[in-house]
Amino acid sequence: MKRSDRLLQSLLGDTAFNRRKFLGNACKGIVGATVIGEMAALTLQAQEASTGPTKAVNGGSDTTPIQLKPRDAATERKEEPVPSPLDPNKRVRYAIVGLGALSLNQIMPAFGECKYSKPVALVSGMPDKARKVASQYGIAEKNIYNYQNYDQIKNNPEIDAVYIVLPNGMHEEYTVRAAQAGKHVLCEKPMANNSKEAQRMIDACKKAGKKLMIAYRIQYEPNNRKAMEWVRNKQYGTVKLIDAVNTQNAGDPSQWRLKKALAGGGSLPDIGLYCLNTSRFLLGEEPESVISTIYSTPGDERFREVEETVLFQMRFPSGALVNASTSYGVHESRRYRCHGDKGGWFGLDPAFAYEGLKMELSQALDKSEWRQNPSFGQKNQFTQEIDHMSLCVLGNKDPYTPGEEGLQDHRIMEAIYQSAQEGKPIKLEKIAKLDAFRGTPPKPD
Ligand code: NAD
């Protein structure tokens, strides 16, 4: 028996090990193990393969939840599982590329809650800011890079992956350079400016044998995942209509989001993308046609280069229809509703915010309409998403939202623009498979 098999057997026990061998999966994660340490990867593999807690291995690699004695009656809501982080020395180590609003306000703080990931390097055009952030998060000054010497990350074995948080028009270049430097890539949405760039990003990561994941945080968030489950298991009948809105009022006309070369488009790729990507995620299907209308207020200097408002409809193979609205010119609203044909609708409002997501459920009950706000937990979406990427690196799995998922959104957005331009519906390639572009689903904590 190989050494890796012996380790896995000792972690899983005989029954689970034999089942795993039988399924032919036992050694799939061994390649990724060399990146971080074989034992860490095997621990995680074992965790995913076994329903019971893992056994202690190698001192600090033990991710077995610490069991606490329950205090409440069995009828009460169960407590969240005790966090069980991986030894910091065995986590996936990230260079954060771009220190703007999202990095500073969301991503860096989110690393504090990560269990399998840690920030070890920064890439920024502003050395003073980078030094300050490095000191705040315990990052060594020698691991600060700028956009010119970025390629030198190749010679830094302390970096396993990069998280690209730059304007959309820079995603391709910094993904390709990272892949060429031998690093895995987690890239912010939208993946790029267009499908050609997205395809080149996929090709570069494939060629380098590195993972590429697009940071679609909604697909890792528990309330959105519950809505997806209800759509898929027809909890309230067949969902025939999804109504989705994502709007905000853009300020500063000079910001990169309003420049075509850096943003790729206006409200559609930035926030309309949430309506598009989330409805594809909820249904698991791919649209077969789209139709759209685009409008920008004449003379509004914010919309000289990119569009203000996009209304688009998508038709899916099951007959489900999505009606989506996005705008950079009206007050913030971020919600969706899934309308089932068996006495209920459900959705989230807010649906796409960083926090405070709220489920809404409306059901027919005798002579009344019963409104509820069930909650399926509030988790840091960035933590969930970053740790998913790390588990994929550690266990050598395909991310749930790989580059192909981002590429598909670009193809659909291009059809949406074409539809508005030509004033007619645009047909898309027919894709029958469910979750056609998604990889390994995320595991709950
Ligand atoms: P931002 O403007 O706050 O930050 C962009 C960073 O890129 C800054 O540090 C800036 O200095 C740097 N940069 C380098 N070259 C630049 C150039 N030529 N022009 C402008 N900036 C340049 O933007 P952000 O809000 O942090 O967005 C970054 C990325 O994250 C975008 O792709 C955006 O779509 C995405 N994003 C995702 C979410 C989400 O919820 N997942 C939320 C916000 C932003």
Side-chain angles (χ1 to χ4, degrees):
M1 190 189 284
K2 284 191 283 189
R3 179 170 168 259
S4 52
D5 278 6
R6 274 201 307 277
L7 282 167
L8 199 55
Q9 187 174 24
S10 72
L11 290 165
L12 293 175
D14 285 343
T15 314
F17 175 76
N18 288 334
R19 189 179 69 231
R20 201 156 161 74
K21 281 300 279 181
F22 176 73
L23 291 170
N25 284 333
C27 290
K28 275 197 181 149
I30 304 306
V31 178
T34 55
V35 181
I36 309 297
E38 195 173 73
M39 292 304 291
L42 287 170
T43 307
L44 292 159
Q45 269 197 325
Q47 248 194 333
E48 292 200 324
S50 155
T51 47
T54 58
K55 291 177 192 156
V57 287
N58 204 20
S61 288
D62 180 9
T63 56
T64 314
I66 296 163
Q67 299 295 330
L68 298 175
K69 217 171 145 192
R71 278 178 318 203
D72 298 330
T75 48
E76 296 303 286
R77 180 165 59 88
K78 306 288 171 286
E79 281 196 334
E80 289 283 292
V82 181
S84 42
L86 187 64
D87 178 339
N89 295 317
K90 296 186 164 118
R91 295 186 198 182
V92 176
R93 301 160 298 178
Y94 288 81
I96 318 307
V97 188
L99 297 180
L102 188 69
S103 288
L104 297 187
N105 299 340
Q106 305 299 329
I107 292 169
M108 294 307 293
F111 270 106
E113 291 180 53
C114 280
K115 302 188 187 94
Y116 307 110
S117 324
K118 67 174 179 180
V120 295
L122 302 173
V123 182
S124 166
M126 297 174 167
D128 288 348
K129 176 161 71 168
R131 269 195 298 275
K132 187 168 179 179
V133 177
S135 75
Q136 288 167 343
Y137 287 94
I139 292 169
E141 273 202 32
K142 72 175 177 59
N143 286 351
I144 297 175
Y145 295 84
N146 56 44
Y147 301 117
Q148 288 71 43
N149 67 15
Y150 172 63
D151 307 278
Q152 289 175 20
I153 59 172
K154 181 182 179 146
N155 305 318
N156 190 338
E158 290 172 25
I159 300 169
D160 302 307
V162 301
Y163 189 166
I164 295 176
V165 202
L166 291 167
N168 315 338
M170 300 172 75
H171 291 183
E172 179 196 356
E173 179 188 342
Y174 286 82
T175 295
V176 172
R177 286 168 73 182
Q180 287 169 349
K183 309 299 177 186
H184 301 285
V185 178
L186 172 58
C187 179
E188 262 309 327
K189 52 53 60 185
M191 181 170 178
N193 272 0
N194 55 55
S195 60
K196 283 203 176 96
E197 293 179 4
Q199 184 65 61
R200 289 196 290 263
M201 291 161 74
I202 293 172
D203 294 344
C205 291
K206 281 230 163 85
K207 189 170 169 206
K210 295 291 146 188
K211 311 239 172 259
L212 172 59
M213 172 173 147
I214 309 306
Y216 286 119
R217 58 185 167 80
I218 296 300
Q219 297 200 32
Y220 302 90
E221 193 282 323
N223 294 281
N224 281 285
R225 290 195 65 76
K226 182 56 75 178
M228 179 271 283
E229 236 178 85
W230 284 353
V231 174
R232 308 276 185 110
N233 70 16
K234 302 189 191 301
Q235 188 83 11
Y236 300 97
T238 301
V239 168
K240 292 184 161 178
L241 171 64
I242 297 176
D243 190 30
V245 176
N246 200 359
T247 61
Q248 66 189 45
N249 213 342
D252 177 14
S254 69
Q255 62 181 297
W256 68 260
R257 277 184 170 76
L258 302 173
K259 307 290 165 215
K260 180 114 168 92
L262 284 169
S267 56
L268 179 62
D270 187 21
I271 52 176
L273 179 58
Y274 285 88
C275 304
L276 164 57
N277 185 264
T278 306
S279 44
R280 288 180 49 236
F281 158 68
L282 291 166
L283 293 162
E285 299 178 54
E286 296 304 330
E288 51 186 27
S289 70
V290 297
I291 185 162
S292 72
T293 299
I294 294 185
Y295 183 79
S296 299
T297 306
D300 190 325
E301 62 173 329
R302 295 172 299 173
F303 309 119
R304 277 200 197 122
E305 294 189 29
V306 300
E307 78 281 355
E308 177 182 0
T309 299
V310 185
L311 310 181
F312 60 99
Q313 294 174 344
M314 299 186 282
R315 182 192 292 257
F316 288 77
S318 64
L321 295 169
V322 169
N323 189 42
S325 320
T326 187
S327 179
Y328 264 168
V330 295
H331 181 63
E332 176 178 308
S333 174
R334 310 173 191 283
R335 62 162 175 79
Y336 66 80
R337 272 186 192 175
C338 304
H339 301 264
D341 65 358
K342 293 263 177 345
W345 60 254
F346 54 91
L348 270 76
D349 188 358
F352 311 123
Y354 298 141
E355 53 196 28
L357 303 197
K358 214 153 124 195
M359 176 74 102
E360 288 183 321
L361 169 62
S362 179
Q363 286 171 279
L365 195 71
D366 298 328
K367 290 181 185 157
S368 60
E369 188 71 15
W370 200 29
R371 290 275 183 106
Q372 300 169 71
N373 288 117
S375 172
F376 299 94
Q378 298 292 329
K379 296 248 164 86
N380 185 316
Q381 299 167 43
F382 293 94
T383 300
Q384 300 295 111
E385 148 217 300
I386 297 166
D387 267 350
H388 175 77
M389 170 73 177
S390 298
L391 282 169
C392 290
V393 170
L394 290 165
N396 194 25
K397 300 228 161 86
D398 292 331
Y400 190 56
T401 52
E404 286 78 359
E405 173 78 356
L407 171 61
Q408 175 65 357
D409 278 336
H410 277 293
R411 288 195 186 114
I412 299 166
M413 287 193 286
E414 282 161 11
I416 291 170
Y417 283 126
Q418 190 188 343
S419 168
Q421 206 166 27
E422 297 179 5
K424 61 176 195 196
I426 302 296
K427 283 200 172 13
L428 290 153
E429 188 194 339
K430 276 205 161 80
I431 297 166
K433 198 175 164 225
L434 282 185
D435 292 313
F437 302 103
R438 297 190 181 90
T440 313
K443 292 254 167 204
D445 270 353

